[in-house]
Amino acid sequence: MAEIKSVIGTQNKKGQTYTDAWKLLNEAPRTPSFFTGSEVIKEAIRRASCDVMIAYPITPQSEAAALIGELFAEGYVGDYFRGESEFAVMSQCAGAAFGGARVFTTTAGPGTMRAMENFPMWAGARLPIQMIVTCRGINSPLSIQPDTLEIAYLLNTGMLVWHAETAQDFFDWILKGYMVSEEPDVHLPLALCCDGFFVTHTKDVVNLTPADMCLPPYDPYRSPVPCMDMECPPVRMMRDPFVMKSNYISYATHASWQQEIWAAVERSRKHSIHWLNGLIDTENTDADIMIVSSGTAVSQGREAIRMLEDEGVRCGLVKVKTLRPWPEEEIREATKNAKHIFVPEFNVTGWLAKEIRATIPNPHRVHAGPHVCGGMTMPPEIIVSEIKTALGMKTLSLAGRGS
Amino acid sequence: MSKERIQISEALYDIMPSDYQDLVKSATYGKEDRGWKDIGTSKELIEQHSLCAGCPESMAFRYILASLPNPEDTVMVGSTGCTSLVFPMVAVHNIHSLFGNQNAIASGLKRALSVRFPDRVKDVVVLAGDGATVDIGLDMTLQAWFRQEKFTTICFDNELYANTGGQESGLMQKGFVAKMAPVGKLFDKVRLPEIARESGCHYVVNCTVSKPSLVEKVIRNAVHIAREIGPTYLQLYTPCILEIGKNSMEGLQEMRDSEKPAERFAYKEYISEPAKQLLTELAAKDKERKAAAKQLAAQAQAN
């Protein structure tokens, strides 16, 4: 058997040093940099040892996809091209991942929906593709504004789904995402979501790891299914396809495989806890009132908590980092003392509140809201107002407040 | 991959699947002159199949697999349909993902293999029906050609959606009465070979699979040209005898009838100038190789 050599400490063709991922993300020096979310995506991919990136323009992710094109021109990405539609792009990503490449792509809103048939296929084929979803409105009439409704559609595809709050989350989670999704007992695609524009088009101080250090390359032979490169000797897989043998065998085969995909989502839990330092972050979990949220609604919730403190109302916070795997136990524990649970969301249906209601005892405690949709911003004042109204406290309407 | 990499450990020989033992013992892997004539004398990449008795597609499958110049390093991409019933029984890596996206899958695959194996030849061959290639997947078929992706696209043209019971397809003949074409198809058969040429394919052939030597030649040409120059396209008539009301023994005659000079599958071939040059060079090398082998054999006999 050929000798297996570690690449850690060696250099790639750009002179970056392959660095142990834990050391890169937890011990390497960090430099504060003032970047937009899109630029941060580029910086993460610069350090991600990506083999193939496939792009298609759709607002608000176009800039990130274009910036990664610049990385390809500079030689940091193995191959890069523009596909003909989101459906095609996700299929091209699948082909590249089948061939053993570390693959990255981005999409948004209606593009996510157009590509949707691919996502359960990715998960079913155990392809650890990473896709950034910069959420925007998906419904008619046309909107390009941020709205997280599309996440609801991703939740049951078998993909891992994480929801970043800030550009710093984005930088770290893109790199950590590959480490989780490429684990042999996981090996699933990751949809790393953020609220479009709020994260992609605003500038923030982000602490970046050194540009001359990068993740170790992907090893496709750690996959639980064969890599389609003819390097592992193939055999005829079966005498007859399942469906030709009997319907029963077909049902049993596909049913067991579907259960295996969801078992793999569950197995990602321990890796996600390791890399993300828990599936949720919490503050003041002894408070009677809790705000539970994901994405930038968490930031608005934090500000609402500060405003409520000024009025003598103590309030806690749960930031949900991973939607798949779903942090059921963590949310139950963090909200066990809460009499009221508020779930601010940037979408009309309140999918996160529904998930939480299905998770915790006494779900009548959950107040699904406030909701903003169609791309509206969520002033912390409306979270404060929602909470005070529920508590029977006097609150001024935004118009009446005169601000 | 090479034949050296599929040796079986002696200790495990008796517990390996018989297919695998046969593949190692008798496959044509590593044999430069492999071809359809090896069928029956050497273990092939497909032995049995689950298609209907007398199905021309099953003939096409055997000829194609026997003619691949480099099966040791060839990955095939299929699509939903009768082809997806055979692929599980084919001993090359093959991908079936969704319906119609086969050329997009192949684009990503070929590029990934080029990034991972820059100094090795890894061929990609797409094989799908006319519904996947010309209807639902047409955009991705054409765009792969526009981008000059270096793989071969083979369309098994049976002029209808056979696997779902004989509905109208874009490659169906005008006037043919089919399910979903209750008064006959209203528009002409899509002229994909011509579109392929205009879209940048360097080698385009339209024919039936009635003649195995011809299939062998066009497959080898298509794969070699795709490897070196750019996209190639083969449109092979593989009638669904079930859906056009023929018996098991009538598939071959149906193809022969359809390839007469005035018929829609009369042999048509387009070769771009760079592809012609490549084929000439390959033929010269082949001649040289065979002459050297002959000389070597003669010397050995003399000694």
Side-chain angles (χ1 to χ4, degrees):
Chain A
M1 192 173 168
E3 189 187 351
I4 297 171
K5 286 183 184 167
S6 170
V7 297
I8 302 293
T10 64
Q11 291 191 333
N12 65 14
K13 63 180 179 182
K14 288 299 293 179
Q16 291 176 300
T17 303
Y18 291 119
T19 307
D20 175 82
W22 187 260
K23 286 185 180 165
L24 175 68
L25 288 157
N26 295 292
E27 296 170 21
R30 296 266 186 158
T31 307
S33 311
F34 193 49
F35 277 149
T36 66
S38 299
E39 290 165 338
V40 166
I41 295 173
K42 175 187 180 182
E43 289 309 313
I45 296 305
R46 188 194 297 279
R47 295 152 174 84
S49 302
C50 266
D51 297 307
V52 177
M53 194 279 175
I54 303 163
Y56 188 74
I58 184 167
T59 304
Q61 67 83 47
S62 303
E63 187 186 12
L67 289 171
I68 295 164
E70 292 178 8
L71 280 184
F72 167 66
E74 293 168 28
Y76 286 97
V77 176
D79 203 347
Y80 171 95
F81 66 104
R82 175 200 55 79
E84 54 270 40
S85 71
E86 289 88 353
F87 177 81
V89 164
M90 303 314 163
S91 303
Q92 286 146 357
C93 287
F98 273 120
R102 178 176 285 162
V103 182
F104 182 77
T105 192
T106 52
T107 188
T112 315
M113 304 309 286
R114 178 166 289 181
M116 190 59 80
E117 189 187 0
N118 282 275
F119 303 140
M121 183 270 284
W122 284 5
R126 309 296 290 272
L127 304 173
I129 298 161
Q130 187 167 155
M131 172 177 69
I132 294 286
V133 184
T134 60
C135 295
R136 68 171 257 197
I138 55 173
N139 57 290
S140 187
L142 179 67
S143 164
I144 61 162
Q145 301 300 329
D147 185 308
T148 61
L149 192 55
E150 66 193 288
I151 295 178
Y153 292 85
L154 289 166
L155 293 178
N156 297 319
T157 56
M159 295 180 75
L160 307 180
V161 183
W162 297 359
H163 196 180
E165 177 192 353
T166 62
Q168 184 71 59
D169 282 351
F170 239 171
F171 179 78
D172 292 339
W173 293 5
I174 287 171
L175 300 169
K176 291 175 177 178
Y178 281 119
M179 294 302 101
V180 174
S181 65
E182 290 172 3
E183 284 286 350
D185 61 345
V186 180
H187 230 267
L188 288 174
L190 167 65
L192 177 47
C193 306
C194 79
D195 307 340
F197 294 109
F198 298 151
V199 177
T200 55
H201 285 58
T202 52
K203 278 199 160 188
D204 201 355
V205 175
V206 179
N207 292 309
L208 303 182
T209 58
D212 60 357
M213 295 165 79
C214 62
L215 287 185
Y218 171 54
D219 177 1
Y221 303 125
R222 293 175 78 228
S223 168
V225 295
C227 176
M228 295 286 137
D229 61 4
M230 288 297 278
E231 290 297 302
C232 302
V235 292
R236 298 171 188 84
M237 287 186 279
M238 56 185 102
R239 282 288 181 197
D240 297 301
F242 298 131
V243 74
M244 301 294 281
K245 287 178 183 292
S246 78
N247 278 346
Y248 176 74
I249 290 174
S250 181
Y251 303 150
T253 305
H254 290 99
S256 61
W257 189 245
Q258 286 182 13
Q259 290 170 67
E260 157 58 13
I261 299 308
W262 287 96
V265 172
E266 287 306 302
R267 292 194 297 264
S268 75
R269 190 177 293 275
K270 59 182 181 293
H271 303 297
S272 306
I273 290 169
H274 174 70
W275 284 100
L276 300 180
N277 193 25
L279 306 183
I280 63 171
D281 286 342
T282 59
E283 293 173 27
N284 302 338
T285 52
D286 57 337
D288 287 347
I289 302 159
M290 295 294 291
I291 294 172
V292 184
S293 200
S294 64
T296 54
V298 175
S299 303
Q300 305 307 94
R302 273 204 200 87
E303 183 61 13
I305 289 171
R306 192 190 61 73
M307 293 164 72
L308 284 164
E309 270 175 9
D310 291 345
E311 298 191 51
V313 179
R314 190 157 184 276
C315 187
L317 179 76
V318 175
K319 169 180 172 173
V320 181
K321 295 189 276 193
T322 64
L323 300 163
R324 293 289 180 273
W326 175 242
E328 181 175 342
E329 288 303 318
E330 289 88 340
I331 291 173
R332 285 166 75 101
E333 177 63 24
T335 57
K336 68 180 179 190
N337 300 316
K339 294 187 174 66
H340 300 279
I341 299 164
F342 294 85
V343 188
E345 290 187 65
F346 283 96
N347 66 77
V348 70
T349 62
W351 51 261
L352 183 60
K354 287 176 189 164
E355 293 270 320
I356 295 166
R357 275 190 177 137
T359 293
I360 62 169
N362 305 320
H364 63 273
R365 295 180 293 160
V366 174
H367 301 257
H371 295 155
V372 293
C373 46
M376 288 183 197
T377 56
M378 185 186 291
E381 288 86 350
I382 68 165
I383 303 176
V384 171
S385 173
E386 184 97 2
I387 292 173
K388 287 171 71 175
T389 302
L391 296 179
M393 295 170 69
K394 194 176 175 188
T395 178
L396 291 174
S397 69
L398 288 179
R401 200 160 50 88
S403 58
Chain B
M1 200 181 79
S2 72
K3 198 170 179 182
E4 287 67 46
R5 294 191 57 177
I6 54 168
Q7 302 298 320
I8 299 176
S9 161
E10 294 215 352
L12 300 175
Y13 193 88
D14 60 333
I15 59 163
M16 294 301 283
S18 59
D19 269 1
Y20 195 77
Q21 294 180 17
D22 287 341
L23 186 67
V24 173
K25 267 196 312 189
S26 335
T28 54
Y29 278 28
K31 182 181 167 190
E32 235 172 317
D33 294 322
R34 67 193 304 279
W36 76 272
K37 285 179 184 159
D38 292 311
I39 295 173
T41 59
S42 181
K43 191 73 178 178
E44 265 318 317
L45 298 171
I46 175 174
E47 185 186 25
Q48 299 175 347
H49 65 79
S50 51
L51 301 181
C52 303
C55 172
E57 186 171 301
S58 68
M59 297 160 63
F61 247 115
R62 284 181 200 280
Y63 300 155
I64 290 168
L65 289 163
S67 308
L68 291 173
N70 182 32
E72 302 92 318
D73 282 297
T74 299
V75 184
M76 297 190 75
V77 182
S79 191
T80 309
C82 292
T83 57
S84 57
L85 299 178
V86 179
F87 269 122
M89 304 149 87
V90 170
V92 295
H93 280 155
N94 53 82
I95 298 170
H96 168 222
S97 66
L98 300 172
F99 190 50
N101 70 344
Q102 59 282 340
N103 278 39
I105 292 279
S107 299
L109 175 67
K110 179 69 186 181
R111 284 164 181 260
L113 295 175
S114 301
V115 168
R116 292 187 57 222
F117 303 98
D119 306 320
R120 299 256 305 275
V121 171
K122 292 272 181 186
D123 293 324
V124 171
V125 176
V126 164
L127 201 162
D130 47 308
T133 308
V134 187
D135 293 335
I136 191 171
L138 183 60
D139 180 26
M140 286 168 276
T141 304
L142 295 182
Q143 296 274 354
W145 295 343
F146 299 158
R147 288 194 305 267
Q148 293 288 291
E149 302 284 357
K150 288 185 165 179
F151 61 80
T152 295
T153 303
I154 302 171
C155 173
F156 276 173
D157 180 5
N158 55 21
E159 304 193 300
L160 42 73
Y161 284 82
N163 196 251
T164 45
Q167 294 82 16
E168 177 194 298
S169 87
L171 287 188
M172 182 175 274
Q173 305 166 65
K174 186 175 181 179
F176 194 91
V177 177
K179 292 163 194 164
M180 301 188 191
V183 295
K185 189 183 174 225
L186 297 176
F187 61 99
D188 283 327
K189 183 177 175 73
V190 173
R191 295 196 295 272
L192 198 64
E194 293 164 48
I195 296 170
R197 187 191 65 208
E198 295 300 317
S199 303
C201 284
H202 291 270
Y203 183 69
V204 180
V205 168
N206 179 52
C207 66
T208 79
V209 296
S210 70
K211 301 180 184 71
S213 296
L214 187 68
V215 177
E216 182 182 304
K217 185 192 89 174
V218 301
I219 291 292
R220 293 180 74 83
N221 285 350
V223 173
H224 282 302
I225 293 168
R227 186 189 293 170
E228 299 293 334
I229 298 173
T232 56
Y233 175 61
L234 307 178
Q235 187 163 313
L236 307 178
Y237 184 41
T238 55
C240 175
I241 47 177
L242 199 69
E243 291 299 337
I244 61 172
K246 301 274 179 183
N247 292 323
S248 297
M249 300 301 286
E250 294 174 332
L252 188 58
Q253 193 55 49
E254 165 65 21
M255 290 191 284
R256 285 176 177 158
D257 291 343
S258 308
E259 66 194 14
K260 288 174 182 163
E263 289 294 331
R264 61 201 186 284
F265 288 100
Y267 185 81
K268 283 183 201 143
E269 184 184 56
Y270 163 74
I271 316 178
S272 72
E273 284 307 317
K276 275 182 196 164
Q277 201 180 329
L278 177 77
L279 292 180
T280 307
E281 287 166 14
L282 288 177
K285 276 185 197 163
D286 205 37
K287 202 172 164 186
E288 213 171 286
R289 182 178 59 83
K290 282 180 180 163
K294 205 171 166 184
Q295 203 176 355
L296 213 63
Q299 274 174 4
Q301 207 171 17
N303 293 336

